[in-house]
Structures are given as structure tokens and as C-alpha cells.
Amino acid sequence: MPGRVLIIKQGSFGDIIVASGAAQDICNHHRNDEISVLTDPAYRKIFARLPGVAHTIADAREPRWRLDLMYSLYRRVNFDSFDMIYDLQKTRRNAFYHRWFVKKAAWSGCAKGCSHPYTVPEFGTMSGQEEFALQLRAAGVPVRYTTEPDLSWFVEDVSGVLQDAGVTDPYVALMPGASERHAHRCWPRYAELADTLINEGICVVTVPGPAELKSGITMPGIALTGDRGYLDFFQLGGVLQGAAFAVGNDSGQTHLAAHLGTHGLALYGPITRYMNNMKRRNFSC
């Protein structure tokens, strides 16, 4: 009889991309089971597209002191209806879920008293993906994609979008933005870079998201905005996969470009702590 498996992964867009390979390995290991993912509302559509995932559940991460909302989450998710839970976020919030909502379900993570713990490495000694590999191996999950995700499922054909916008090959994708709470990660000279590339006869494109549109970032070159004012996650994947080169900040877009195999450059400021997640053969930091 098929079992029930829950993957917990909240966080930012970049966090979701970094964890995508671990989620793939879990799905492959439990290919005969029913797999659900608990994630932020904005990223349910990503996990819904991941092969092997049957259901997605929204976790808006409401304040834990709102006991009414915590009880509602407990009733909606019914953690003990799952045979195995993989906590890929490993925050104090999820340790709270384990302590108060789980009585019998097996749990992989670092919550105190969980059934499948692993030795958490010293901070900064390995990338997040390498730590996911430790976690999955401790839970008996074979690791194939965790450190080298296959994001072919993420990419949508954007040939029509590029043609309509007048984009010619080869093109360079510039990603000047970051999440609103990490505006300090934005390198300030993208417009100058774009002008230089255009003067050299290179086609330059940008793919502004809602945060960039809200902040009013404008760039020389071709802005790909689509019918809704911005491209969705999967159209973004198609644009970045087709780029000859990409330049971006420490952002989800740049993580996606790196994991799609696009050649590029990631620009980090002095306070960035997670550079190891971008150290791939095709991307320089």
C-alpha cells in the first residue's frame, strides 16, 4: 500500500531552487508513495510542477503566537497522517511543528528528538546542497540530484516571447534586482554594463520581476515583461537557459541561471554568506 510523504520547504525563490535537487531525490526514492509539499503560497506552483509531487499545501508562516492560526494549520496539514516528513528548511518554526504537531510520523531533519537526525555541519563549512546530501543519506535516501539538480522540468519554451520582443541570438541576460528585503545585494552599475554591451553590438535582455517593477528599476536593452507585466517562473527559466551569458546579484534568478547550466557571473557583496551554493563550473563568483 502506498505511503504518504511530506516535504517541508519554505523560504525564498533562491532557497527553493537550491533545494530542488533534494526534493527530486526524495520523489525518486518514494516514487510509489503519495508526496505532498508544504511551502510558501508563492511557490506552490513550482512544486506542483515537480515530477512526483501530488499535492502542495500553503504555509503562510503566520505568527506562532496566533494559536488560532496554528491550530488551523495543524488541522489542514494533519502531520501525523504522513508516514515520513522531510524538513528541508530546518528552522525554529519547523522545530515547533515537530514538537507540537507530530506524535508518530517519522521526521528527517535536525529538530530535537526527530526519528532521522543527522550531524549538522559547522556553519560555513559546506553549501546548503551538500548539507541536504548529508540529511538525505542519514534518512536512507539515495543522492543523485541533490548537489546537481536537473531543472529541465522548470523550463518553458519562450521562443515566441523572444521573437515578439525582437531578441536576437546570442543575448546576455542581466538580473539587476534582488528581494525587497535584500536591496543591499544589488550592484549599482548594471545600466553602465548594459550600455557597454549594447555599444559592442551585443543584445541585452532583462527579466524584471514584481520587486524590480515596484522599485522602478529601468535598464538599457530589452525588458521581457510578458502579457501580465512580468514573466512567470517557468518563462524566466526558458529565457535564462537560452542566454549566452548571465550576470546577476545574489538572487533567486541568479541561482536559477547557475543551476540551468548558463554561463555567467554572480556579483556578491562583502556580507553574503552563502557563496558555495553558486560555485558551479559554469558560474563565476
Side-chain angles (χ1 to χ4, degrees):
M1 180 178 179
R4 300 190 71 225
V5 174
L6 177 67
I7 300 170
I8 303 177
K9 183 56 189 172
Q10 307 103 337
S12 66
F13 178 45
D15 291 337
I16 302 300
I17 297 301
V18 169
S20 63
Q24 282 179 291
D25 282 334
I26 292 169
C27 289
N28 287 342
H29 183 58
H30 292 279
R31 63 177 68 251
N32 295 320
D33 297 323
E34 181 183 281
I35 299 173
S36 300
V37 178
L38 180 70
T39 189
D40 290 84
Y43 305 123
R44 289 181 67 182
K45 64 180 67 176
I46 293 178
F47 284 112
R49 188 158 172 157
L50 178 66
V53 172
H55 310 287
T56 60
I57 308 167
D59 179 8
R61 294 190 281 180
E62 303 285 1
R64 280 174 281 168
W65 56 265
R66 284 291 305 272
L67 298 183
D68 57 330
L69 298 176
M70 291 298 97
Y71 182 69
S72 175
L73 177 68
Y74 168 75
R75 293 290 301 272
R76 280 194 301 113
V77 179
N78 189 10
F79 290 83
D80 275 330
S81 69
F82 294 95
D83 301 292
M84 185 69 190
I85 299 174
Y86 294 90
D87 176 15
L88 298 184
Q89 192 70 21
K90 302 182 287 289
T91 58
R92 285 183 291 179
R93 166 178 292 275
N94 291 347
F96 173 90
Y97 293 169
H98 175 264
R99 179 179 180 183
W100 295 107
F101 298 162
V102 175
K103 303 301 180 185
K104 61 181 182 179
W107 182 287
S108 166
C110 58
K112 184 178 179 179
C114 69
S115 62
H116 293 73
Y118 70 102
T119 301
V120 180
E122 183 179 348
F123 181 79
T125 58
M126 62 175 56
S127 71
Q129 290 170 325
E130 291 168 333
E131 184 175 342
F132 287 140
L134 283 180
Q135 177 184 353
L136 295 193
R137 290 188 180 109
V141 178
V143 171
R144 178 182 178 187
Y145 296 112
T146 297
T147 57
E148 294 288 339
D150 171 14
L151 287 172
S152 57
W153 56 273
F154 198 98
V155 176
E156 191 165 302
D157 179 11
V158 291
S159 55
V161 173
L162 297 176
Q163 183 177 359
D164 291 345
V167 177
T168 57
D169 282 325
Y171 62 88
V172 172
L174 301 185
M175 301 168 284
S179 64
E180 290 183 79
R181 62 192 181 94
H182 293 305
H184 56 278
R185 296 180 179 178
C186 296
W187 185 57
R189 302 183 66 180
Y190 278 99
E192 296 173 51
L193 173 60
D195 277 332
T196 299
L197 293 172
I198 292 169
N199 289 336
E200 292 292 328
I202 298 171
C203 183
V204 172
V205 305
T206 59
V207 190
E212 290 79 56
L213 294 170
K214 182 178 179 180
S215 64
I217 292 178
T218 58
M219 290 281 298
I222 300 172
L224 300 174
T225 54
D227 297 334
R228 300 183 306 166
Y230 57 90
L231 302 186
D232 64 25
F233 294 125
F234 313 113
Q235 291 172 317
L236 170 63
V239 171
L240 295 180
Q241 186 180 62
F245 200 82
V247 182
N249 306 305
D250 178 16
S251 67
Q253 290 182 335
T254 307
H255 280 284
L256 177 59
H259 287 82
L260 285 171
T262 304
H263 291 273
L265 175 67
L267 301 172
Y268 284 88
I271 66 171
T272 301
R273 299 179 177 179
Y274 302 106
M275 291 179 66
N276 284 337
N277 284 330
M278 205 75 70
K279 288 183 177 178
R280 306 175 64 79
R281 289 187 297 274
N282 52 296
F283 241 76
S284 300
C285 298

